[in-house]
Amino acid sequence: MTKEVQDSVMASIGGGLKVVGGVTSNAPKLVSLYRAVGPKEFYQVMKTSEFTVIPSGLQAKQFGLSFEETLKFAEKYSDIGAVIEVKVSANMLNKLGDFTQVDKFIFKNGTVTIQADKLGEFNKIIQEITHKY
């Protein structure tokens, strides 16, 4: 596809779709988040593909933006048995997430916190969940 044809296609669709190799795609840009979890949370998330909070625990879920940093964090705690990778829409994450950095000494690339009242919306934008480690 020539540059002129590609520009014409992009103009006619409002620039909202991406042309890749002559095929249009409106797939959102995905971002990977990493969460260190214990066995109970691991099995619950892998079974339901959703994150929840427990009444007596932190009323939010926190994720690292770097696998290596999340793994480093996980290795510090004996009750953490896995790292889960979650892929979500970058645009939607920007609307739902709190990017106030947590534990700056380990998570140098940043963190994102999803508050309990936004977990339902967050669960809906999950595109993929993988047992990373």
Side-chain angles (χ1 to χ4, degrees):
M1 176 179 296
T2 68
K3 173 88 170 100
E4 293 79 22
V5 172
Q6 185 175 355
D7 289 345
S8 174
V9 169
M10 291 301 284
S12 69
I13 59 176
L17 300 177
K18 182 179 178 185
V19 177
V20 181
V23 178
T24 47
S25 168
N26 62 353
K29 178 182 177 196
L30 298 181
V31 62
S32 290
L33 307 174
Y34 304 93
R35 179 159 171 79
V37 296
K40 187 175 181 179
E41 183 176 1
F42 172 79
Y43 290 114
Q44 181 266 325
V45 169
M46 298 310 281
K47 180 180 177 182
T48 64
S49 297
E50 293 186 347
F51 290 89
T52 60
V53 294
I54 56 172
S56 62
L58 176 67
Q59 295 299 293
K61 291 296 177 186
Q62 295 177 317
F63 298 85
L65 299 177
S66 160
F67 170 69
E68 290 78 16
E69 293 168 356
T70 306
L71 181 59
K72 182 178 176 183
F73 172 82
E75 290 173 344
K76 289 183 167 227
Y77 300 94
S78 61
D79 60 335
I80 294 177
V83 175
I84 297 172
E85 178 182 22
V86 182
K87 292 185 181 182
V88 298
S89 159
N91 288 338
M92 291 303 296
L93 180 63
N94 287 332
K95 295 176 184 176
L96 298 174
D98 174 356
F99 290 88
T100 303
Q101 197 167 4
V102 177
D103 202 350
K104 296 177 187 180
F105 295 105
I106 293 178
F107 294 101
K108 293 178 172 102
N109 285 297
T111 57
V112 62
T113 302
I114 307 297
Q115 299 298 331
D117 64 337
K118 299 203 177 187
L119 269 178
E121 292 174 79
F122 177 77
N123 287 330
K124 290 178 184 174
I125 67 166
I126 294 174
Q127 299 294 311
E128 184 179 326
I129 297 177
T130 306
H131 176 199
K132 188 77 173 169
Y133 173 83

